[in-house]
Structures are given as C-alpha cells and as structure tokens.
C-alpha cells in the first residue's frame, strides 16, 4: 500500500476501484452519451481516449491529470452528480482545472446528499503508480491510499 | 479570500438564501485557485454555453428555476450557444422522432427560462457571439464571466479581454452577483506563455489541424506561437480573425487552451512581444510531418471506414459572413471544375442567425443555394451527439466536431473535393 497526499477540493471519504487515464479527461466527450442514453454503468464514450473508452466510470475512483475540452464539462459533471451517476471520487495528479472544479463545487453546494471527494495536486508519481483495478481509499485530509 | 462588505453581506444571506449559495459557489471556485478577491465584471454582455433543452440536463434547468423563483436575474443581458435543431437540416423520420420526443423535450421550456434570465433576443444563439453582426464583442482588458470554450479563447486571445474557462452555470452566476474570482487568465501572470510553439510548415497550416496539435500538446497552458505571421500577416483583418476563430476552437476542444498569443499579430503579443514568455518555457516545433502525424492519428470510428459520406458539416464554430462568401466561391469553382451542378453530399454550412440574415441580403445567398448547400444556425455537435448519428458517415472540417462525435475530419480542401467532385477523399 502506498500513500499520496494532495489538496482537498471537495471533502469526503470513500473507497473505490481505480480507473486511470494519463491523458486529459474530456468530460463532455466521456459522460454526455452515457448520461443521455441511460447507460447504467456510465461507460466512457470518448473515442479519443483509448485508456478509458468503453470502461465503466460510475462508482470508480477516477485518476487523471486534469480535465480538458469544452466548457459544458463542468455542468455535465454537475448533472452526473445530481443524477447519482458520478465517479466515486476524482483524483488529480495536477492542480485542478477550472471546469472540473466548477462541476465538483456546483455539486457540493447545490445537490443534497451527494458526496464526491475531489483531491488534486497528487503529483506525477501518483499517476505513474496507480493502475486500473487497484483499490483506493480517500481520507478526509486529502491522503490517498493506493492498495496495489 | 477577502470579500468587500457588499460581497460578504450576500454570502451571509442578507439578500436571500439562493443568492448566498451563488456567492458561496463563486467563493469556493475562486479559492480552489488561490484567488484572494472578487473583481467586477466590466463587459456589456455575458455569453452562456448551455443552449440546449436536453432531457438529461434536468438538474441544470432545476437550478435555473431555483434562481428564477428566488427572483434573481443576470445583471447582464447575454447571448448563448446555438440551438440544437433546425428543420432545414436533413434528418430522417427516426432522427426527428428521437430529437423531438426523446432528446430535446426541454428545449421550449429552457428557452423560456433563458428569456426570463436575460437572453439578448431570440436570435442570440451562436457560439461566435463576438462577430460584428451579433454584437457581443468585448473590448481589450474587459473582465468577462463567459463560458463556451471557443468564445473564451477568442475573447482572450484575439480581443484581449480577460476571462477564465468558466463552466456552464458558473457563467451566469458571475453575472448574477456582478463579480468573478480573480485568478488565472484574469491576472497578468496567468496570461504569460509557458510554451513556445514554432510553426515551420512549408504552406499555410490548416487552422483546425494546427489548433488540434497545439491543444493536445500544451493542454491548458498558454502557448506563444511564432512563425504564423508569415501566413496570416500582421493585421487582424477578417481573414486572420476567421483563421484564429477556427484555430482557437481546436486548441480549446482538443486540449484546454484558454489563451494563446500569436507573435506580431494578437494584441498582447504586439504590445509585449516575447516578454510574455516565462523563463524555461517548453518548446514545440510544428512542421508538415507533425501535422500529418496528428491527422493520421485521429481514430476512425465509422463502422465501414470506406463508406460514402451521407452528410457534411462546415461551421463549428459558426462561420463568419466572409467565410460564407469564400465558401460559396470555392464550391462554385469546384462544381465548375468537376462538371457537376450540385454538391454530391448533403452539405450544411452553419453560421449565427444574424450572419445568415446578412448573408441572405447578398448576391451570394442565391448562388450558394444553387449549389445545393444548405445554411443553418444549428449546433452540429448537438445534432450529432446521439447513437443514430453515430451510425451515419458524416464528414467535417471541424476538429471540435470530430472530437465529440463520430464525424470524420478532413481539411477544407479535402471537404471541397468530397462535396464537389466526389470519390475517395
């Protein structure tokens, strides 16, 4: 088990299985189709992301450098949270970007009963170490435990 | 974050619980980026990204209704992204059924909400709100609360305004309270370039291909591009602005670029030159081979890669008046060369409603119509983002559309050949 320390963007504690992308996560391209057409597993629909395309994202620990793409990204993430179809947590190697931050904060402030811990600035070492299927525990203070 | 007395009062709920939640959202958003204060929005108008009444986006409309029910409205009038549907755009019975009965069932409801919240007018639906015909064109140095990635990167880079890559909903929250958190692209430091991109191509690079390459490389960083003035000149004329519109949209959708500087051309690069580049900036050289590599690596997700295209979209982001005129001449010439009378693939050129209105007043409108090309105010992305369209072989010269849908990207010249001459592209 290895520990990483990041910064808490939105608080919470959770344990979930990792899905990992080492390229930017395009929120609109990844989530809009599965949300729109009722995919219960919320399988990633971004054809430009070979690491994630077709993989379920719901209830997973999404490990990523940052999000990219159009500015609907934040509200798509907000909708995913409001509909209960969000990842269990989002863990950023880099400092968070403005779209992901907006989505997570909108959900935190405006959606009752939803918790999606978001931790950023975990560093490149985190993203180099974590692999699909590893179990991840997020602590309230931004400590992320990866059980390989 | 240190708030003014007025801002703190809003946060404390002195103007109501809903407005307090709006302020709390903006404060948390700013604090995530180390913002120490909020600054006033100084642009005349706002621009919102959410234009579509998708059933699945119900949480967005619920939130908008909370704002309306609480009696809060945008302090600015605003334009908004394009409508998702237009009956002029070819669609079969099944597509029309899915669009109208399943996907966009909230469209009328949401447009009514937008009008109540402060939509400029019924024609203010475009991603290219900064065009003269539309009239939402901020001045250099103005502070914005815009969303829409292609509009934000254009406002920052070509107009010299100051705006972060705000998400939908955050956009309107800024203009409800009148302030945005001061961080990132609002600051002088945040507008400095951390990449130097050297363009060393032997011909003018395709705008949306060059933007794609840069976006994928620099992600959300600020690039300073040298060597492009050789192809664009040093004046921000119609042609240069149209090129940068398309280039920027690709940087923002294929990556997350919110600002770029073009040496000797864009306002801050002209004013400050290479002093905009931070020490130790990374370097990316783009030549013909690199652009070819980028294009060759786009995934082809058509079931039959050799299928004959059934639809072609040009105009994501929306075309300018001059681009519509230029395309009219190119299509006419292409048809003349090939001996065809009309385009061989159903083709849709998209532009802002007010640009289309101006275009209709020119002699070009009848000429373009004679070629068989359809014009529309639609958002091609919203039209195509469904499983039915995924099965259709659609071609486009938009790298943004390629990124989000199954549409296949080709250069403008390849598109022209496909629609006027046919055959394999």
């Amino acid at each position: 088990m290895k520990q990483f320390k990041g910064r808490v963007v939105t608080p919470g504690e959770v344990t979930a299985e990792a899905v990992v992308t080492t390229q930017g996560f395009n929120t609109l391209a990844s989530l809009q189709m599965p949300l729109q057409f009722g995919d219960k597993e919320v399988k990633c629909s971004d054809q430009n992301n070979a690491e994630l395309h077709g993989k379920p994202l719901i209830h997973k620990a999404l490990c990523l450098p940052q999000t990219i793409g159009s500015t609907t990204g934040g509200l798509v993430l907000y909708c995913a949270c409001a509909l209960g179809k969000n990842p269990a947590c989002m863990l950023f190697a880099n400092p968070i970007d403005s779209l992901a931050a907006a989505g997570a904060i909108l959900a935190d402030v405006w959606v009752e009963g939803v918790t999606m811990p978001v931790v950023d600035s975990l560093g490149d070492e985190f993203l180099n170490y974590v692999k699909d299927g590893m179990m991840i525990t997020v602590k309230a203070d931004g400590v992320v435990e990866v059980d390989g | 974050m240190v708030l003014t007395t007025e801002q703190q009062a809003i946060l404390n709920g002195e103007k109501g619980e809903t407005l307090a939640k709006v302020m709390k959202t903006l404060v948390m958003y700013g604090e995530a980026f180390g913002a120490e204060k909020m600054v006033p929005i100084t642009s005349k108008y706002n621009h919102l990204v959410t234009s579509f009444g998708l059933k699945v986006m119900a949480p967005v409309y619920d939130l908008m209704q909370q704002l309306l029910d609480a009696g809060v409205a945008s302090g600015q009038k605003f334009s908004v992204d394009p409508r998702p549907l237009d009956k002029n755009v070819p669609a079969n019975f099944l597509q029309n059924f899915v669009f109208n009965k399943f996907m966009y069932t909230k469209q009328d409801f949401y447009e009514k909400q937008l009008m109540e919240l402060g939509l400029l007018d019924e024609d203010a639906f475009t991603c290219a709100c900064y065009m003269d015909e539309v009239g939402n064109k901020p001045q250099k140095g103005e502070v914005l609360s815009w969303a829409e990635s292609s509009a934000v990167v254009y406002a920052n880079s070509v107009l010299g305004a100051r705006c972060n890559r705000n998400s939908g909903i955050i956009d309107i929250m800024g203009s409800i309270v009148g302030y945005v958190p001061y961080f990132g692209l609002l600051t002088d430091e945040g507008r400095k370039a951390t990449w130097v991109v050297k363009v060393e191509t032997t011909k003018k690079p395709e705008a949306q291909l060059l933007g794609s390459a840069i976006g994928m490389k620099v992600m959300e960083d600020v690039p300073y591009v040298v060597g492009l003035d050789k192809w664009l000149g040093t004046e921000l004329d119609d042609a240069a602005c149209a090129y940068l519109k398309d280039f920027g949209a690709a940087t923002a959708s294929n990556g997350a670029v919110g600002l770029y500087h073009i040496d000797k051309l864009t306002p801050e690069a002209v004013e400050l030159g290479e002093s905009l580049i931070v020490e130790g900036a990374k370097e990316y050289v783009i030549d013909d081979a690199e652009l070819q590599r980028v294009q060759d690596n786009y995934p082809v997700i058509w079931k039959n890669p050799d299928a004959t295209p059934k639809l072609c979209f040009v105009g994501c982001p929306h075309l300018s008046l001059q681009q519509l005129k230029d395309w009219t001449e190119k299509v006419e010439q292409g048809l003349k060369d090939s001996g065809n009378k009309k385009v061989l693939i159903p083709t849709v050129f998209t532009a802002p409603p007010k640009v289309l209105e101006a275009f209709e007043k020119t002699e070009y409108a009848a000429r373009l119509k004679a070629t068989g090309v359809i014009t529309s105010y639609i958002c091609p992305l919203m039209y195509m983002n469904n499983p039915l369209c995924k099965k259709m072989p659609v071609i486009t010269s938009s790298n943004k559309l390629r990124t989000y849908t199954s549409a296949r990207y080709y250069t403008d010249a390849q598109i022209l050949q496909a629609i006027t001459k046919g055959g394999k592209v």
Side-chain angles (χ1 to χ4, degrees), chain A residues 5-66:
Chain A
K5 178 76 170 76
R7 178 188 68 141
V8 176
V9 178
T10 54
E13 293 189 334
V14 74
T15 297
E17 188 182 296
V19 285
V20 182
T21 175
T22 55
Q23 71 180 71
F25 178 78
N26 193 318
T27 310
L28 175 64
S30 299
L31 294 182
Q32 188 172 327
M33 285 284 252
L35 292 183
Q36 199 164 299
F37 294 97
D39 175 4
K40 289 180 182 169
E41 293 183 291
V42 191
K43 291 192 284 293
C44 173
S45 57
D46 183 2
Q47 66 218 20
N48 296 297
N49 190 328
E51 292 168 303
L52 289 185
H53 188 233
K55 290 182 184 171
L57 299 176
I58 193 167
H59 306 324
K60 301 288 184 185
L62 179 57
C63 306
L64 67 165
Q66 67 169 94

Side-chain angles (χ1 to χ4, degrees), chain A residues 7 26 29 32-33 35-37 47-48 68-71 74-75 78-79 82 96-99 102 105 108-110, chain B residues 25 28 32-33 50 54 56-57 63 103 148-149 165-168 173 255 299 301 385 387 400 402-405:
Chain A
R7 178 188 68 141
N26 193 318
Q32 188 172 327
M33 285 284 252
L35 292 183
Q36 199 164 299
F37 294 97
Q47 66 218 20
N48 296 297
I68 60 169
S70 297
T71 51
L75 68 92
Y78 164 72
C79 285
I96 198 166
D97 57 278
S98 59
L99 301 184
I105 290 165
D108 191 63
V109 175
W110 293 87
Chain B
T25 305
M28 283 179 71
F33 299 95
T50 318
L54 268 177
V56 74
M57 293 289 178
L63 199 159
M103 286 177 67
E148 169 47 48
S149 61
R165 274 171 50 88
N166 300 303
S167 167
M173 287 184 171
I301 57 170
N385 207 359
K400 180 168 184 171
R402 176 201 67 80
T403 300
Y404 292 112
T405 71

Side-chain angles (χ1 to χ4, degrees), chain A residues 16-20 55 60-61 63 130-136 146-148:
Chain A
E17 188 182 296
V19 285
V20 182
K55 290 182 184 171
K60 301 288 184 185
C63 306
V130 69
K131 300 286 180 281
D132 277 2
M134 289 179 169
M135 289 308 292
I136 289 188
V146 183
D147 196 350

Side-chain angles (χ1 to χ4, degrees), chain B residues 222-292:
Chain B
V222 178
Y224 189 98
V225 183
V226 294
L228 204 49
D229 56 300
K230 179 179 172 185
W231 306 108
L232 300 185
T234 54
E235 293 292 327
L236 280 172
D237 54 17
D238 271 1
C241 288
Y243 183 99
L244 294 177
K245 163 180 71 75
D246 295 340
F247 163 83
T251 67
S253 57
N254 287 226
V257 174
L259 165 67
Y260 55 81
H261 302 295
I262 308 293
D263 190 43
K264 302 184 181 69
L265 184 60
T266 53
E268 281 156 270
V270 168
E271 189 179 318
L272 301 167
E274 294 186 358
S275 67
L276 284 167
I277 303 168
V278 300
E279 201 177 324
K282 288 171 270 191
E283 188 176 292
Y284 179 33
V285 177
I286 296 183
D287 55 16
D288 299 339
E290 174 63 358
L291 288 184
Q292 193 61 53

